[in-house]
């Protein structure tokens, strides 16, 4: 089994209906799919790879070698390490302090984030159409009550999974579902490790050059009243290869109220399968329970 690979450019031609159906099926059956011909220039993606790899070497590698997780690996004998990840990560937002030592990093990543945000909004428009929702429904739900045009949160995690001498002892990133909305991953095209849980089996997300991997988070599951599910996924550590992962996530603003779309709730029922809640409340639960089953998170926020 392999996750669906979809040609996004075909939305604009005579294959539009079929492409919409492919995306709908991917969202319903997989929660993950890969986009080719997504509109992000290959030249830009090559620059992202270059500056991200240089950034790790210049600004992060030495610190990781001396990090707590690296030291723990040497001290724990044959025991499996719990509650830690073999990952070096920074998060970029419009108002965060950005790395400055690596030439071209800031300029390239700001340009890339701008393009990825546009792609995320196009993907959400397709979801609106496939779910039978009004145009712009998901984006408006994510914007919440804040002022201004863009109040949804858009962040980018730049992660590296360095070579691990004992990959059987520690996971690159433990299994979880994503808390937010739409996640757009530019993953390493040489070093694998990303897996999703499908029908009780862990399946590799095969590296494909310059594709964008899309996955749906918990908030899309709620808005769609369970038609689209957030999918469990993890990253394995490997003995060789320094895996690069650039994950951008389009999330609701913290004050956004999230609930199943009324159009997707069965007639005669007052509410959907999922609770109505403020996203900030959900995040306060999620940060404590990220690597635990998601259903209790929904129950916890229902009780708030």
């Amino acid at each position: 089994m392999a996750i669906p690979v979809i040609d996004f450019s075909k939305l604009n031609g005579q294959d539009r209906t079929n492409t919409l159906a492919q995306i709908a099926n991917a969202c319903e059956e997989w929660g993950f799919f890969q986009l080719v011909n997504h509109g992000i220039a290959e030249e830009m993606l090559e620059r992202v790879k270059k500056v991200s790899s240089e950034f790790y070497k210049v600004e992060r590698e030495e610190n990781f070698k001396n990090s707590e997780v690296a030291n723990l690996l040497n001290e724990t004998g044959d025991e499996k390490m719990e509650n830690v990840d073999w990952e070096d990560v920074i998060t970029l937002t419009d108002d965060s302090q950005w790395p400055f030592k690596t030439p071209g990093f800031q300029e390239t990543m700001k340009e890339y984030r701008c393009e990825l945000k546009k792609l995320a909004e196009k993907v959400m428009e397709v979801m609106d159409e496939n779910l039978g929702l009004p145009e712009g429904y998901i984006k408006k739900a994510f914007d919440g009550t804040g002022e201004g045009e863009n109040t949804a949160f858009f962040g980018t995690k730049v992660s590296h999974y360095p070579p691990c001498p004992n990959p059987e002892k520690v996971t690159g990133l433990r299994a979880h579902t994503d808390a937010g909305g739409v996640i757009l991953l530019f993953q390493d095209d040489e070093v694998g490790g990303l897996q999703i849980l499908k029908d009780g089996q862990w399946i590799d997300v095969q590296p494909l050059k310059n594709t964008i991997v899309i996955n749906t988070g918990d908030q899309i599951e709620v808005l769609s009243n369970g038609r689209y599910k957030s999918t469990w996924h993890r990253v394995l550590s490997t003995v060789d290869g320094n895996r690069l992962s650039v994950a951008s996530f389009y999330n609701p603003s913290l004050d956004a109220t999230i609930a199943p779309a009324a159009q997707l709730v069965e007639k005669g029922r007052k509410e959907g399968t999922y609770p109505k809640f403020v996203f900030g409340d959900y995040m306060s639960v999620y940060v404590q329970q990220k690597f635990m089953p998601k259903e209790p998170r929904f129950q916890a926020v229902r009780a708030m």
Side-chain angles (χ1 to χ4, degrees):
M1 274 196 297
I3 73 165
V5 179
I6 298 171
D7 187 339
F8 205 55
S9 68
K10 290 189 175 180
L11 280 173
N12 302 318
Q14 60 186 12
D15 287 335
R16 177 176 175 78
T17 301
N18 184 47
T19 305
L20 284 169
Q22 288 177 357
I23 294 172
N25 178 261
C27 290
E28 291 175 14
E29 299 297 327
W30 291 82
F32 267 76
F33 54 98
Q34 301 209 50
L35 288 184
V36 297
N37 297 323
H38 39 63
I40 311 297
E42 289 201 0
E43 176 273 333
M44 177 182 289
L45 294 176
E46 292 297 331
R47 275 194 287 133
V48 169
K49 281 189 278 191
K50 181 175 183 291
V51 298
S52 298
S53 296
E54 289 176 354
F55 156 72
Y56 178 75
K57 290 175 185 173
V58 171
E59 304 188 45
R60 308 288 293 192
E61 186 171 30
E62 201 58 39
N63 284 341
F64 186 83
K65 288 177 180 176
N66 298 309
S67 66
E68 182 179 359
V69 66
N71 290 329
L72 276 172
L73 189 68
N74 295 324
E75 296 169 2
T76 52
D78 295 329
E79 296 175 39
K80 173 83 174 173
M81 293 169 59
E82 306 290 345
N83 304 319
V84 293
D85 302 298
W86 190 260
E87 177 190 42
D88 178 82
V89 59
I90 64 159
T91 301
L92 308 174
T93 65
D94 289 340
D95 53 5
S96 61
Q97 186 171 357
W98 285 49
F100 60 89
K101 295 179 183 177
T102 305
F105 182 85
Q106 286 199 27
E107 297 82 354
T108 297
M109 296 307 291
K110 285 179 179 178
E111 185 182 351
Y112 172 72
R113 276 171 44 79
C114 183
E115 292 301 308
L116 258 286
K117 192 172 185 180
K118 293 176 191 172
L119 178 59
E121 290 173 350
K122 289 178 184 175
V123 170
M124 291 191 296
E125 288 172 5
V126 171
M127 291 179 179
D128 286 334
E129 185 172 351
N130 277 333
L131 290 167
L133 299 174
E135 184 177 344
Y137 183 96
I138 296 174
K139 183 179 184 302
K140 185 177 180 182
F142 283 6
D143 282 344
T145 59
E147 297 179 3
E149 284 186 27
N150 295 304
T151 56
F153 178 81
F154 190 72
T156 300
K157 281 176 54 181
V158 181
S159 301
H160 282 86
Y161 302 92
C164 180
N166 298 104
E168 69 285 350
K169 286 175 55 177
V170 61
T171 309
L173 180 59
R174 286 164 284 163
H176 64 286
T177 65
D178 289 322
V182 175
I183 298 85
L184 306 93
L185 170 67
F186 180 40
Q187 70 163 345
D188 203 300
D189 54 25
E190 294 181 2
V191 184
L194 176 61
Q195 296 183 323
I196 69 166
L197 189 62
K198 167 75 168 163
D199 299 330
Q201 293 183 321
W202 286 105
I203 299 169
D204 293 331
V205 179
Q206 297 293 352
L208 294 175
K209 190 175 177 64
N210 291 339
T211 60
I212 300 293
V213 180
I214 307 292
N215 74 282
T216 47
D218 295 346
Q219 307 315 303
I220 294 292
E221 179 168 334
V222 174
L223 282 172
S224 71
N225 201 28
R227 190 185 300 185
Y228 296 171
K229 294 285 198 301
S230 58
T231 298
W232 284 86
H233 54 286
R234 67 185 183 186
V235 179
L236 300 181
S237 51
T238 56
V239 174
D240 51 3
N242 187 7
R243 175 182 166 81
L244 167 66
S245 168
V246 183
S248 298
F249 35 100
Y250 199 112
N251 288 357
S253 65
L254 290 176
D255 69 358
T257 298
I258 303 298
Q263 296 90 332
L264 302 177
V265 177
E266 291 177 31
K267 289 181 180 177
R269 291 190 60 172
K270 289 185 178 180
E271 60 183 35
T273 305
Y274 296 81
K276 180 179 181 179
F277 54 84
V278 175
F279 180 61
D281 291 340
Y282 186 82
M283 283 305 298
S284 69
V285 174
Y286 181 85
V287 295
Q288 302 293 327
Q289 302 181 16
K290 176 176 179 176
F291 302 107
M292 298 166 66
K294 62 184 170 181
E295 288 75 14
R297 301 199 291 260
F298 295 131
Q299 294 304 321
V301 82
R302 188 192 293 272
M304 285 182 167

